[in-house]
């Protein structure tokens, strides 16, 4: 099998950026460094002529490295490459033939050579390289065939300061590197939806803080741990997350005692949004993120969403807004949060849920009923924010 220590990373949308493209590239390099730092072994990550290379400087675990790079947003392809010094064209042909042998045990395939001469003083031009390297492969392995239209194997030979040969292209996650957009506050519960929502927003380059509303003793330490575990699972993609844990019991009890039972959930959700926005703004977040999707439950009808939205002054991003549950489950499985999300620990929303919650709440009516809390709520909000626990998910 072909073994290498060098990986070429290709990036996608960053290419569309104009003059400040290098800013995005540098963020991507940082994100790659952060990711590989968690792998066994020592690595050098560097940028050269619109390419990012990861080079292993010690023994390393191939599968672990590939799995890690597959979680770095901004990367569209990971290519294990053969790196050659320029020892003349005959040597290059020989090395490429050997590369084909080591990479493909079964030689029954069609191929095409894509050569690129970034260094124009190389004596053979790209067209000639395509023909002559192709010929060398055909001579060595009679079973292989050329197909210039739909090759099964695309073999890339790039002459730069050194020569890079590759044909294996492992898809990356795409998206934009985390840190290239702003920061947002994710309302992270122990459910299925919010971790997926966080993953999706981070994929567009948004850095995440998170907030969880905990209601001890009604919700257990295990329920909280589940949220930490979900945060840890998505941090493979999002990078470190600062998780704010709010003790929400007192506020919830007050709502329960003083507001109409069918409006409990919606009022509770409004206080969650207010607290999330306040802490978010104190921490440079310019948006909130939730796992809501139209019509999924009573608190997510369009009327309910309008009531929840009404208390926010910064944008609320709801990446799952038009997703069916199954679409969400599919992503949860892909990012490995599904098994944790379905663990049956109680959630503060389910404990106080009304028998018949309103499905078409009216903002004015809800706001009116919130006035029942006027004598105590400010103090409670202040306390909840001040006494929050902060957990750094690395
Ligand atoms: P999820 O699966 O994400 O828990 P859900 O379908 O259970 O969502 P709701 O309970 O109505 O829906 O919550 C809607 C959104 O509100 C969640 O996706 C999440 O962003 C936020 N949220 C709900 N409960 C909490 C909580 N205890 N802490 C933090 N955020 C929460
Ligand atoms: Mg929930």
């Amino acid at each position: 099998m072909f073994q290498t220590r060098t990986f070429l990373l290709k990036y996608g949308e960053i290419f569309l950026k104009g003059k400040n493209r290098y800013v995005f590239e540098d963020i991507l390099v940082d994100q790659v460094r952060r990711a590989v730092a968690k792998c066994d072994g020592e690595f050098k990550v560097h940028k050269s002529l619109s390419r990012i290379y990861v080079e292993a400087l010690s023994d390393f675990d191939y599968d672990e490295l590939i799995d890690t790079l597959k979680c770095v947003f901004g990367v569209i392809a990971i290519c294990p490459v053969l790196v050659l010094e320029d020892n003349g064209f005959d040597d290059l042909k020989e090395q490429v033939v050997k590369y084909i042998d080591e990479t493909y045990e079964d030689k029954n395939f069609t191929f095409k050579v894509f050569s690129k001469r970034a260094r124009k003083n190389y004596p053979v031009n790209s067209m000639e390289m395509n023909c002559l390297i192709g010929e060398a492969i055909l001579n060595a392995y009679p079973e292989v065939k050329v197909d210039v239209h739909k090759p099964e194997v695309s073999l890339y030979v790039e002459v730069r300061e050194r020569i890079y040969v590759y044909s294996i292209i492992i898809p990356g996650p795409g998206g934009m590197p985390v840190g290239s957009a702003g920061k947002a506050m994710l309302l992270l519960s122990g459910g299925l939806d919010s971790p997926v929502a966080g993953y999706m927003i981070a994929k567009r380059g948004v850095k995440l803080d998170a907030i969880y509303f905990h209601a001890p003793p009604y919700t257990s330490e295990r329920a909280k741990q589940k949220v930490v575990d979900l945060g840890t699972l998505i941090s493979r993609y999002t990078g470190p997350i600062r998780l704010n844990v709010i003790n929400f019991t007192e506020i919830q009890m007050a709502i329960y005692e003083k507001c109409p039972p069918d409006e409990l959930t919606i009022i509770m959700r409004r206080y969650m949004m207010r607290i999330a926005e306040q802490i978010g703004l104190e921490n440079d977040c310019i948006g909130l993120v939730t796992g809501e999707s139209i019509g999924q439950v009573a608190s997510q009808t369009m009327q309910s969403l309008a009531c929840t939205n009404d208390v926010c002054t910064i944008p609320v991003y709801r990446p799952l807004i038009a997703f069916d549950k199954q679409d969400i489950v599919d992503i949860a499985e892909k990012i490995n949060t599904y098994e944790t999300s379905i663990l049956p620990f109680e959630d503060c929303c389910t404990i106080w849920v009304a028998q018949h919650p309103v499905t078409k709440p009216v903002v004015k009516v809800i706001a009116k009923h919130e006035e029942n809390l006027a004598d105590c709520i400010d103090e409670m909000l202040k306390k909840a924010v001040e006494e929050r626990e902060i957990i750094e998910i690395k």
Side-chain angles (χ1 to χ4, degrees):
M1 211 194 102
F2 167 63
Q3 296 278 359
T4 185
R5 289 184 168 279
T6 308
F7 300 82
L8 160 67
L9 305 184
K10 296 191 175 181
Y11 41 85
E13 273 181 54
I14 295 179
F15 263 127
L16 303 176
K17 304 289 161 202
K19 266 196 225 142
N20 56 356
R21 181 167 115 187
Y22 74 94
V23 178
F24 289 83
E25 289 174 339
D26 289 349
I27 295 171
L28 182 56
V29 168
D30 280 349
Q31 291 301 316
V32 173
R33 288 204 176 111
R34 169 191 65 76
V36 300
K38 289 192 174 167
C39 294
D40 275 344
E42 215 189 308
F43 301 91
K44 184 173 145 198
V45 179
H46 62 103
K47 186 175 94 170
S48 162
L49 301 168
S50 305
R51 291 294 174 85
I52 292 172
Y53 297 94
V54 177
E55 233 174 288
L57 304 175
S58 66
D59 283 348
F60 70 106
D61 180 334
Y62 184 95
D63 293 336
E64 181 192 39
L65 179 67
I66 297 292
D67 283 348
T68 301
L69 292 172
K70 277 184 178 172
C71 295
V72 181
F73 291 135
V75 172
I76 57 162
I78 305 151
C79 314
V81 285
L82 169 67
V83 185
L84 299 170
E85 298 302 331
D86 180 6
N87 292 322
F89 190 59
D90 284 340
D91 177 68
L92 172 60
K93 281 192 294 187
E94 227 172 86
Q95 300 289 345
V96 172
V97 166
K98 193 164 146 233
Y99 167 84
I100 291 290
D101 190 35
E102 287 174 4
T103 309
Y104 302 99
E105 207 176 304
D106 177 1
K107 309 283 187 297
N108 264 309
F109 59 79
T110 59
F111 79 105
K112 178 178 177 179
V113 183
F114 295 84
S115 302
K116 193 155 137 191
R117 194 175 55 148
R119 180 154 65 76
K120 297 297 175 205
N121 65 357
Y122 194 73
V124 188
N125 74 31
S126 332
M127 288 297 284
E128 291 165 346
M129 278 170 72
N130 288 343
C131 294
L132 295 171
I133 292 173
E135 190 181 270
I137 295 171
L138 289 170
N139 287 341
Y141 310 109
E143 318 91 287
V144 299
K145 290 186 187 64
V146 171
D147 183 342
V148 290
H149 302 294
K150 274 194 169 171
E152 285 158 348
V153 171
S154 298
L155 176 71
Y156 296 88
V157 180
E158 298 184 359
V159 179
R160 295 167 181 267
E161 65 291 18
R162 290 194 285 176
I163 301 169
Y164 298 86
V165 178
Y166 62 94
S167 61
I168 301 168
I169 297 176
I170 303 162
M176 296 291 288
V178 170
S180 63
K183 186 158 83 160
M185 178 64 81
L186 169 67
L187 283 87
L188 181 62
S189 68
L192 255 170
D193 306 323
S194 42
V196 173
Y199 160 86
M200 287 182 65
I201 283 287
K203 188 170 176 193
R204 295 309 303 164
V206 177
K207 177 158 176 54
L208 294 179
D209 275 0
I211 185 163
Y212 166 58
F213 297 89
H214 187 42
Y218 305 99
T219 53
S220 64
E221 274 302 300
R222 286 201 307 175
K224 178 172 120 188
Q225 186 57 44
K226 180 179 165 185
V227 174
V228 175
D229 292 345
L230 286 169
T232 307
L233 287 169
I234 61 168
S235 73
R236 279 199 82 187
Y237 295 92
T238 65
I241 297 174
R242 168 177 287 193
L243 173 66
N244 297 272
V245 180
I246 302 288
N247 186 328
F248 203 50
T249 314
E250 203 179 37
I251 295 172
Q252 247 180 330
M253 293 304 283
I255 301 172
Y256 184 68
E257 278 159 22
K258 300 187 177 181
C259 300
D262 59 341
E263 291 171 4
L264 285 183
T265 310
I266 208 77
I267 294 177
M268 190 178 79
R269 302 273 306 113
R270 280 161 59 98
Y271 281 104
M272 285 185 181
M273 299 305 262
R274 288 178 172 112
I275 295 173
E277 173 166 313
Q278 185 191 335
I279 296 176
L281 285 173
E282 284 165 15
N283 289 277
D284 306 321
C285 294
I286 53 175
L288 303 178
V289 183
T290 76
E292 291 160 314
S293 144
I294 293 177
Q296 200 188 76
V297 286
S299 59
Q300 296 175 29
T301 62
M302 283 183 73
Q303 292 84 350
S304 297
L305 291 170
C307 286
T308 315
N309 221 54
D310 179 62
V311 298
C312 304
T313 65
I314 56 175
V316 182
Y317 297 99
R318 300 179 172 91
L320 307 181
I321 199 69
F323 276 43
D324 291 351
K325 198 74 188 185
Q326 189 57 46
D327 302 333
I328 301 168
V329 166
D330 290 346
I331 300 178
E333 281 175 339
K334 187 178 90 180
I335 65 171
N336 200 25
T337 52
Y338 181 77
E339 294 297 327
T340 305
S341 284
I342 60 168
L343 292 174
F345 304 138
E346 63 296 317
D347 170 24
C348 69
C349 296
T350 46
I351 289 173
W352 278 278
V353 75
Q355 286 277 334
H356 300 288
V358 278
T359 53
K360 292 184 181 145
V362 176
V363 175
K364 271 193 191 149
V365 178
I366 299 288
K368 182 89 196 119
H369 292 154
E370 281 177 354
E371 285 172 16
N372 298 353
L373 302 164
D375 59 335
C376 61
I377 195 71
D378 288 347
E379 198 51 42
M380 286 180 178
L381 288 174
K382 190 162 170 269
K383 186 167 161 229
V385 170
E386 276 174 10
E387 294 180 1
R388 71 185 187 273
E389 180 190 0
I390 293 177
I391 300 174
E392 302 284 355
I393 296 174
K394 295 269 184 253

